[in-house]
Amino acid sequence: MTPEQQTAVEGLLRSHAAAPGGLLPLLHAVQDQLGYLPPAAVPLIASAFNRTRAEIEGVISFYHDFHTEPPARHTLRLCRAEACQCMGGEALAAQLRDSLGLPDEGVSADGELGLIPVYCLGACACAPALELDGRLHARVTPDKLRQLLQGLKGGEGAC
Ligand code: FES
């Protein structure tokens, strides 16, 4: 954790630690500000809330949306649910595994792209679907996926 991150965590602790039920809002605030929850912040949080480190780590690991690693520059959430599977989503998953050298979830070696499987994006009628940096892409073909990934490499953004 950098000195700047520690200062940020300490500031957020001052405004959340005394509030009833303040732990989850504090964790969200830290992640919102830093992009993730640095493991080195856990002892500070545990001390401020008079909890053990294991208790804080248990809360963090319980919720899927808390992250303990710095985020990738871009996030791709690929739908792996049934409608998308039936409409070519598994081929997209295989394409991502090949092109990123990742299993179905993780961050590319260069830190550029984080891949997260999700189970329905609410776009089943337009399957297969994925979300790239918060933007939904539907009826995704292998060519379209290739173009999206190429756009990231070119620094042009998702679309
Ligand atoms: S199953 Fe993929 S968007 Fe619903």
Side-chain angles (χ1 to χ4, degrees):
M1 186 162 61
T2 67
E4 293 79 17
Q5 289 175 323
Q6 181 164 339
T7 299
V9 171
E10 289 168 347
L12 292 168
L13 282 170
R14 278 193 291 278
S15 59
H16 288 81
L23 179 58
L24 284 177
L26 177 275
L27 294 174
H28 282 291
V30 171
Q31 184 161 284
D32 287 348
Q33 191 159 336
L34 304 183
Y36 73 113
L37 296 168
V42 169
L44 298 175
I45 297 169
S47 175
F49 282 88
N50 197 26
R51 302 284 182 175
T52 66
R53 291 167 53 173
E55 287 174 312
I56 302 302
E57 288 167 350
V59 172
I60 292 170
S61 63
F62 181 80
Y63 293 101
H64 190 72
D65 284 340
F66 287 137
H67 308 289
T68 56
E69 300 282 336
R73 188 160 170 240
H74 302 283
T75 300
L76 191 156
R77 299 180 349 129
L78 178 66
C79 181
R80 305 299 302 275
E82 289 81 358
C84 286
Q85 280 183 29
C86 292
M87 297 301 290
E90 288 307 297
L92 299 178
Q95 184 178 349
L96 285 167
R97 283 193 296 271
D98 289 347
S99 60
L100 299 175
L102 281 176
D104 290 330
E105 182 169 11
V107 175
S108 60
D110 60 5
E112 281 292 303
L113 185 65
L115 177 62
I116 301 171
V118 294
Y119 296 88
C120 196
L121 290 164
C124 316
C126 303
L130 62 81
E131 187 185 271
L132 183 57
D133 292 335
R135 182 169 177 181
L136 182 68
H137 297 268
R139 294 192 176 99
V140 178
T141 63
D143 278 347
K144 185 171 180 180
L145 178 57
R146 196 171 302 111
Q147 289 170 8
L148 290 171
L149 295 175
Q150 197 62 43
L152 296 179
K153 285 181 186 166
E156 299 165 6
C159 304

